[in-house]
């Protein structure tokens, strides 16, 4: 496979740089703010509803531990939340580009001139992302830093239906929505503003990867640096895939592979207690 295919033509932004930056900041605040608000609202409603169904007094909810809260929310509740969040991510990007700017969706990477080659490129990028994740993870663990993102997932031994549902949310829904917002819209807009400027291109990569990493800051309550660093690095990898191809397909495929294989390994540990250390 050829990872260095010439990218699709990049249309110039039809707004001034200042207006484009202002719109980017506003849209990111809207998207991430709405996602956070949805998280609070949906989780709150699910906890109240399911506590009532289970006969749990509402006053006791605040005393529940993380695993008990996660069990109450359930895989279906978490996937519903992921669906809503990623619809917001896609909606904000599409409304800005297609409705307000009246630009073709191809500027967001909605294109697939050579789909097979794009998918193959995505597989390569996904394997590279997994390698980076593994190396950085080992380095942090050897330094005594462990992030607990997996502890917040609604995954329980023997709950295969819930596990399958969550797998769809994490390995399919999340990659699509996040790639549209962070690569197609954020990185794509900054990259077009940069033109041929090396400094501008570097900023486009760095800022988009940083925002992508920071958007995951609520996904762990311990060892946060162990989540943010690999997220930043794979954000750079996914941006490169989009930049080289002009399509979101490589980044979405790579993102799905990274999430899917990592989650499959986690599920192996969940369903076989004792075979994985510190589980």
């Amino acid at each position: 496979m050829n990872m260095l295919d010439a990218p699709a033509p990049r249309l110039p932004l039809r707004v001034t740089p200042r207006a484009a930056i202002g719109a980017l900041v506003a849209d990111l605040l809207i998207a991430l703010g709405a996602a956070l608000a949805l998280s609070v609202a949906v989780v709150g409603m699910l906890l109240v509803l399911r506590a009532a169904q289970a006969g749990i007094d509402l006053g006791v909810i605040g005393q529940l531990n993380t695993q008990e809260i996660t069990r109450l929310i359930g895989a279906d509740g978490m996937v519903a939340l992921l669906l809503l969040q990623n619809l917001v991510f896609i909606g904000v990007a599409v409304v800005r580009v297609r409705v307000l700017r009246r630009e073709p969706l191809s500027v967001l990477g909605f294109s697939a001139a050579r789909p097979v080659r794009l998918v193959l490129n995505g597989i390569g990028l996904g394997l590279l992302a997994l390698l980076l994740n593994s190396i950085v993870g080992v380095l942090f663990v050897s330094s005594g830093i462990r992030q607990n993102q997996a502890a917040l997932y609604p995954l329980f031994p023997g709950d295969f239906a819930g596990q399958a549902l969550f797998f769809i949310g994490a390995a399919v829904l999340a990659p699509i929505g996040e790639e549209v917002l962070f690569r197609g819209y954020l990185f794509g807009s900054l990259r077009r503003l940069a033109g041929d400027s090396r400094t501008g291109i570097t900023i486009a990569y760095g800022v988009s990867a940083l925002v992508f990493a920071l958007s995951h800051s609520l996904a762990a309550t311990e060892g946060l640096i162990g989540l943010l660093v690999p997220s930043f690095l794979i954000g750079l990898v996914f941006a490169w895939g989009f930049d080289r191809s002009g399509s979101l397909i490589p980044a979405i495929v790579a993102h799905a592979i990274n999430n899917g294989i990592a989650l499959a390994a986690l599920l192996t540990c969940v369903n076989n207690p004792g075979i994985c250390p510190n589980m």
Side-chain angles (χ1 to χ4, degrees), residues 206-252:
V207 169
S208 63
L210 180 61
V211 174
F212 173 67
L214 291 176
S215 72
H216 291 77
S217 60
L218 297 179
T221 58
E222 298 175 9
L224 183 58
I225 189 68
L227 175 63
L228 296 184
V229 171
S231 295
F232 177 81
L233 293 177
I234 65 176
L236 295 177
V237 171
F238 297 161
W240 185 79
F242 173 62
D243 194 21
R244 296 305 306 174
S245 67
S247 170
L248 281 177
I249 289 180
I252 290 174

Side-chain angles (χ1 to χ4, degrees), residues 3 20 26 43 69 74 107-108 117 133 137 160 181-183 192 208 222 233-234 245 251 254 257 265 273:
M3 301 276 297
V43 168
I69 291 175
V107 303
L108 285 175
R117 179 165 293 182
N133 244 334
F160 300 117
L181 180 66
F182 296 112
R183 248 63 66 184
R192 288 195 288 160
S208 63
E222 298 175 9
L233 293 177
I234 65 176
S245 67
I257 288 174

Side-chain angles (χ1 to χ4, degrees), residues 77-93:
M78 188 67 73
V79 171
L81 178 57
L82 283 172
L83 176 60
L84 291 173
Q85 288 177 337
N86 286 282
L87 284 175
V88 169
F89 289 170
I90 295 171
V92 167

Side-chain angles (χ1 to χ4, degrees), residues 264-279:
L266 175 61
L267 289 175
T268 300
C269 295
V270 168
N271 291 315
N272 298 275
I275 70 169
C276 298
N278 302 308
M279 281 292 293

Side-chain angles (χ1 to χ4, degrees), residues 22 32 55 59 118 133 144 160 170 209 253:
L32 298 177
L118 292 173
N133 244 334
F160 300 117
V253 170

Side-chain angles (χ1 to χ4, degrees), residues 119-172:
V119 170
L120 291 175
N121 288 348
I123 293 172
L125 289 175
L127 296 177
L128 175 58
L130 279 170
L131 178 62
L132 287 174
N133 244 334
S134 300
I135 293 173
V136 174
V138 169
L139 291 175
F140 275 117
V141 170
S142 64
S143 301
I145 299 175
R146 292 179 179 275
Q147 54 92 0
N148 67 336
Q149 182 183 30
L152 306 181
Y153 292 161
L155 302 173
F156 305 100
D159 180 20
F160 300 117
Q163 293 170 11
L165 193 60
F166 185 75
F167 187 93
I168 293 172
V172 178

